[in-house]
Amino acid sequence: MKNRTVFIGVIGGSEVTPQVAKLAEEVGREIARRGAALVCGGLGGVMEAACKGASEEGGLTVGILPGDSRWAANPYVQIPIVTGIGYTRNVAVVKSSQAVIAIDGSYGTLTEIGHALQSGIPVIGLGTWALSIDGKPDSKIIITRNPQEAVDKAFSKIENQE
Amino acid sequence: MKNRTVFIGVIGGSEVTPQVAKLAEEVGREIARRGAALVCGGLGGVMEAACKGASEEGGLTVGILPGDSRWAANPYVQIPIVTGIGYTRNVAVVKSSQAVIAIDGSYGTLTEIGHALQSGIPVIGLGTWALSIDGKPDSKIIITRNPQEAVDKAFSKIENQE
Amino acid sequence: MKNRTVFIGVIGGSEVTPQVAKLAEEVGREIARRGAALVCGGLGGVMEAACKGASEEGGLTVGILPGDSRWAANPYVQIPIVTGIGYTRNVAVVKSSQAVIAIDGSYGTLTEIGHALQSGIPVIGLGTWALSIDGKPDSKIIITRNPQEAVDKAFSKIENQE
Amino acid sequence: MKNRTVFIGVIGGSEVTPQVAKLAEEVGREIARRGAALVCGGLGGVMEAACKGASEEGGLTVGILPGDSRWAANPYVQIPIVTGIGYTRNVAVVKSSQAVIAIDGSYGTLTEIGHALQSGIPVIGLGTWALSIDGKPDSKIIITRNPQEAVDKAFSKIENQE
């Protein structure tokens, strides 16, 4: 008997516009409605909005925190993981997720996208970074247009892996 | 509204005698019976026995794993956290716990005891390491004789902190 | 009396074409000629070529390794730092550098660019990733056309910080 | 051609008595006189005293720092490594050393002793922690009585490993 709960990461900046927060909240709701657990960095902005959405649908929320205190977690985090390793914890956010949905984007989000692509974890983008090298666009980030499509793609990528 | 679930860590070696496994399982049961979540390193030995006990009582189990794969978790881990940072993850096991119960002891357990005492997190011992320096014993590890006493002490220490 | 040696990071993939290796070697040479120490991830590809160049000019080379063994370092690393934390060590490569020169680019390099920009450490690009969000290019990576210009820019950015 | 410099770690608390600082300084001197590089956590107390001794004998000193700033290093650190991972950096101090000399002892030192013993890195003690379990002393820490004996033992252990 192995744990069959699906864990989906939501990554994005800690300071966001109301429109981006609304997207993140809807992504959180959709993840919870489909029975997956939500993993994030546990702080504000995209992380808090996504946890709020998931919580309100009765979903499970995990926040992997950079600092030394569980009380730094946003109020919708049910499982606070206290790493004490600073923003290096971004790697654990990504590796604890079977797919990540990147919303908008700070430089921290960029590190998470890089760690996910390096580890072969699918990255679904919703208004996030686009990458190119030598003028050639990198096509590994799966671009989507709305929360439902983003969560759909995350699930279909995870199923294909198994 | 802040998360009020109590998180208690159980630390100990990944290879243990049946007697030690029995102690760990009973510690896990007792943690779950009292409504706390169990945090551990997610692997075998003390970790697996404690998760088994907690699961059987309907408790929540978190396993903070050293490697890159969620599938390395023991079958009783409900929330696998994949850190990718090797045994350095011991720090996150400790910091994610409001008190830790150390059972028996490998050198890994010793690092966890050190990190907990350095961070001011109470350490409850059940047949674990004793420390002294210059012939003077260190009295910070709270010695207990059985699983019930160990979990009792963990709860009373956590209440006193708040 | 504080240490006044300048530390410059060179980041890039572990598998590279001969042309990219040549660029990296010349960057290493130029760093050493100007009396700075070179910091890198300690492995092959861009890292090895840069260390080779720096060593041949009598420069100091530091390799911050992902694994558990100093013997994994390329033969031109003089100071092997053994972290045991996997690719999470990318953060330490960046933070130990006062500016980083990104050559070519793997996804690991992308994580290092993100960590540097997040920490306010100047990133000098030499044929590396370009970033955009919502169609707007991010202008934080300083684009250069050859090794001399790249090292020049690194030094001028570091001087401006102090 | 592989790097043949020997790297010896010196671990101990950041606040020490003058007597302990004197011991640490003499350990640093002895390491440098024998041509080895000194690795430490880069801060004050035992770390600073050991770096001072090594520097005065013309030795090389590496400081693996917990925070985000190179300027936190003590003035005798020549190679500051900036990890940004907090006290989790203790693991890197140990793994970057071929043997560690533990002087006196804080709880941080205890974590380093644990990580070293877990990784099979020899631990030489000079007035440091003694460990026992179930009343049986653990004999893995090699007890010495003075700086010369401590450095002697470190070298002989390293030679035996190779």
Side-chain angles (χ1 to χ4, degrees), chain C residues 89 110 129 133 141:
Chain C
R89 71 79 156 84
L110 184 63
W129 294 101
I133 193 159
I141 300 175

Side-chain angles (χ1 to χ4, degrees), chain C residues 1-4 7 60 62 64 68 70-71 73 75 77-84 91-92 95-98, chain D residues 1-4 7 60 62 64 68 70-71 73 75 77-84 91-92 95-98:
Chain C
M1 183 202 75
K2 279 281 180 181
N3 191 322
R4 302 307 298 171
F7 288 79
L60 184 71
V62 177
I64 303 182
D68 289 314
R70 70 184 53 248
W71 308 116
V77 168
Q78 293 157 29
I79 315 283
I81 304 296
V82 185
T83 67
V91 180
K95 287 187 188 271
S96 298
S97 305
Q98 291 165 278
Chain D
M1 183 202 77
K2 278 283 180 182
N3 191 322
R4 301 309 297 171
F7 289 78
L60 183 71
V62 177
I64 302 180
D68 290 312
R70 70 184 52 248
W71 309 116
V77 169
Q78 294 157 29
I79 314 282
I81 303 298
V82 184
T83 66
V91 180
K95 287 188 187 272
S96 297
S97 305
Q98 291 165 281

Side-chain angles (χ1 to χ4, degrees), chain D residues 3-21:
Chain D
N3 191 322
R4 301 309 297 171
T5 305
V6 167
F7 289 78
I8 295 179
V10 177
I11 60 180
S14 58
E15 289 176 26
V16 291
T17 62
Q19 292 93 315
V20 168

Side-chain angles (χ1 to χ4, degrees), chain C residues 36-89:
Chain C
L38 185 151
V39 178
C40 71
L43 301 178
V46 162
M47 299 169 265
E48 179 162 350
C51 285
K52 182 170 183 286
S55 280
E56 288 175 2
E57 294 288 333
L60 184 71
T61 58
V62 177
I64 303 182
L65 297 159
D68 289 314
S69 167
R70 70 184 53 248
W71 308 116
N74 74 59
Y76 308 102
V77 168
Q78 293 157 29
I79 315 283
I81 304 296
V82 185
T83 67
I85 58 173
Y87 289 94
T88 302
R89 71 79 156 84

